[in-house]
Amino acid sequence: MKNPPRLTFRCPRIAVFFDLAVESARGILRGFMAYIRLNAPWNVHFVSKTVNDVDPTSLVDWNGDGILAHLPNQETLETILSKKCPTVLLARDDNDRLRVKKTAGKHAPVFVRCDNLAIGKMAADYFLKKDFAHFAYVSYSKDVCWCEERRKSFTQEVEKRGFSVDAFLPPDEKTDWFTRQNLLREWLLKLPKPVAILTANDVRGRQVLEVCQQADIPVPYEASVLGIDNDLTVCEMCWPSLSSIQIDWERAGSLCAESLDCMMQGETPPVGIYGPLRVVSRNSTEFFHVSDRLVVQVLEIIRISRGENLRVCDIIESFPVSERTLQERFKKAVGRSIMEEIKRVRLQNICRLIEETDLSFHEIARSFGFENANHLGQLFKKELGITMGEYRREKK
């Protein structure tokens, strides 16, 4: 009797070059690993460095089955292509793909890239629904194609509605930040107000918020600022917190893994385009077109306090006007009383903690000055018609 054939199995060996310092890379890797868990296991050789810091010689003795990387510098790219194995690269725009194609020849990698046109359209739709009449765009670099794709798409959508977009194209990146900051400040001051500003990414959005503070341009009352990427570390540490377009990074990672899998199997990979998911609204785009600086100061006090344990009399004592005058000016500008705004902001922040954290209802109640969660729960249901538990399940 013949012996049965011996079964053999070898995990594909994959080299991954990513920089985990940025949220986009972490999101892509989450999607990449999710695909692997749902399919066959891979042996992943992971290098956490920026693409420009990767030592090309580290690949010389590596012989694997596939490579995934952010678009690397030319030297590293040539080393990757010399391995002549299935390769997937994250491209920022179509120009990246065309540039690499010339270098790669018949061993061209597959590209997974971002739909920058969809991002620009989503931003325009978001601002147009808020009835803005003035729009602006702040680029990351005038020489980067993905910045231009986002600007053009944003501009086209705004122009369809009969408006125009002012654009700030920063000078060469070699120019010192002090010079660029002053140029940005002068440009922001000249913009008609209130203005809706889209920035090329969250890093640029944070810088715009900083310059607005220095130039005494109140955000979101005279300038509403929207970033791109939804990097929580950047967005939540800004003041005010930065609204941003969330990109489907996990979809990008899944597409990378699926494309690599298909290439290793000798099959045609899917179309590698991922896009935006939604706008994550934070304080920088709250809907306030307020020109009365006194009212702006009241709104800032309410926002900083989160509506927590704040009394109208405490606010009134801070201003050299009568209670009646302040109430009338506030109601005219905002459309509701000071107390109604305090309650609105408090409820907004409570909802945010319920939705975005795993804090217990007791902890949330205590952070807003309630004696217990039952008291807060009664007020919450009265305002929204559902319990806090139902709200959390619905949002999750």
Side-chain angles (χ1 to χ4, degrees):
M1 180 177 178
K2 292 184 179 180
N3 293 326
R6 178 179 296 176
L7 295 176
T8 60
F9 180 80
R10 184 179 65 84
C11 283
R13 291 170 295 171
I14 310 298
V16 176
F17 299 92
F18 269 59
D19 178 14
L20 286 185
V22 292
E23 173 60 25
S24 57
R26 294 192 293 269
I28 290 169
L29 284 176
R30 285 194 296 270
F32 186 80
M33 297 309 297
Y35 180 91
I36 294 175
R37 285 194 296 268
L38 288 172
N39 294 277
W42 291 352
N43 184 357
V44 178
H45 171 66
F46 182 74
V47 179
S48 178
K49 291 184 179 180
T50 65
V51 289
N52 292 323
D53 292 335
V54 173
D55 180 4
T57 61
S58 64
L59 278 172
V60 172
D61 296 325
W62 179 84
N63 292 302
D65 302 288
I67 297 173
L68 169 65
H70 271 296
L71 188 68
N73 58 34
Q74 191 62 29
E75 184 181 7
T76 305
L77 173 63
E78 291 174 358
T79 304
I80 287 174
L81 296 177
S82 71
K83 308 310 291 184
K84 298 180 181 179
C85 67
T87 299
V88 175
L89 298 179
L90 267 295
R92 296 158 296 187
D93 51 53
D94 209 41
N95 274 17
D96 283 343
R97 182 182 63 82
L98 295 175
R99 177 169 64 84
V100 173
K101 188 176 181 180
K102 293 179 180 178
T103 303
K106 65 179 181 179
H107 297 293
V110 165
F111 284 89
V112 174
R113 64 182 183 85
C114 186
D115 189 345
N116 294 305
L117 301 184
I119 291 173
K121 184 179 186 307
M122 180 176 285
D125 290 343
Y126 177 75
F127 279 137
L128 287 166
K129 288 177 182 177
K130 291 178 175 287
D131 295 325
F132 279 95
H134 306 294
F135 301 84
Y137 178 82
V138 180
S139 181
Y140 190 76
S141 171
K142 63 182 179 180
D143 300 321
V144 177
C145 187
W146 58 267
C147 289
E148 276 298 284
E149 287 183 353
R150 293 174 181 182
R151 182 192 67 80
K152 288 179 180 178
S153 176
F154 180 64
T155 301
Q156 288 171 359
E157 293 300 318
V158 168
E159 289 179 344
K160 287 179 183 178
R161 296 284 292 272
F163 303 106
S164 61
V165 176
D166 288 293
F168 179 79
L169 303 177
D172 193 290
E173 286 297 319
K174 294 179 181 178
T175 306
D176 65 275
W177 168 237
F178 180 78
T179 301
R180 284 183 282 135
Q181 188 178 38
N182 285 339
L183 291 173
L184 179 59
R185 181 178 182 275
E186 293 172 7
W187 178 79
L188 288 168
L189 285 168
K190 292 177 182 177
L191 292 175
K193 310 295 189 306
V195 59
I197 303 174
L198 174 66
T199 63
N201 57 16
D202 291 335
V203 172
R204 190 62 83 217
R206 176 182 58 78
Q207 292 171 341
V208 168
L209 291 178
E210 290 177 354
V211 175
C212 280
Q213 280 189 330
Q214 296 167 11
D216 195 25
I217 301 172
V219 177
Y221 316 106
E222 291 187 6
S224 187
V225 184
L226 177 65
I228 299 171
D229 286 345
N230 196 39
D231 189 324
L232 293 180
T233 305
V234 175
C235 294
E236 294 289 353
M237 293 187 70
C238 291
W239 181 255
S241 56
L242 178 65
S243 297
S244 184
I245 294 178
Q246 181 178 346
I247 309 299
D248 197 351
W249 300 121
E250 295 193 14
R251 171 61 179 161
S254 178
L255 278 171
C256 288
E258 185 180 359
S259 298
L260 204 52
D261 199 6
C262 287
M263 294 174 75
M264 291 189 296
Q265 301 289 340
E267 301 172 359
T268 302
V271 176
I273 300 178
Y274 61 95
L277 282 174
R278 63 182 179 124
V279 175
V280 179
S281 294
R282 297 186 180 89
N283 290 335
S284 69
T285 58
E286 279 192 294
F287 186 51
F288 284 115
H289 292 177
V290 179
S291 57
D292 189 329
R293 284 303 181 98
L294 186 66
V295 175
V296 167
Q297 290 176 28
V298 176
L299 287 167
E300 282 295 278
I301 290 173
I302 296 172
R303 183 167 67 183
I304 292 170
S305 72
R306 304 187 306 161
E308 175 191 350
N309 293 330
L310 186 62
R311 300 179 302 175
V312 175
C313 61
D314 296 328
I315 295 175
I316 292 171
E317 289 176 357
S318 304
F319 298 95
V321 296
S322 67
E323 178 178 356
R324 181 178 179 181
T325 298
L326 187 59
Q327 290 279 19
E328 287 178 349
R329 287 171 66 172
F330 191 91
K331 184 71 176 285
K332 181 180 179 181
V334 180
R336 50 185 167 266
S337 70
I338 295 175
M339 179 51 71
E340 287 171 337
E341 178 62 14
I342 291 172
K343 290 179 178 179
R344 187 194 71 82
V345 169
R346 182 174 61 184
L347 182 62
Q348 180 186 63
N349 281 287
I350 289 170
C351 288
R352 185 177 171 191
L353 287 179
I354 294 173
E355 178 181 352
E356 298 179 4
T357 75
D358 293 321
L359 291 171
S360 71
F361 298 144
H362 177 70
E363 290 174 300
I364 294 173
R366 287 188 60 184
S367 74
F368 283 89
F370 291 91
E371 292 182 1
N372 54 63
N374 290 336
H375 185 198
L376 173 58
Q378 291 170 3
L379 291 175
F380 190 91
K381 187 168 185 179
K382 181 180 178 181
E383 292 293 327
L384 297 184
I386 59 175
T387 67
M388 293 189 290
E390 290 169 339
Y391 182 86
R392 175 168 278 176
R393 286 192 294 273
E394 180 183 299
K395 293 299 179 179
K396 290 293 184 182

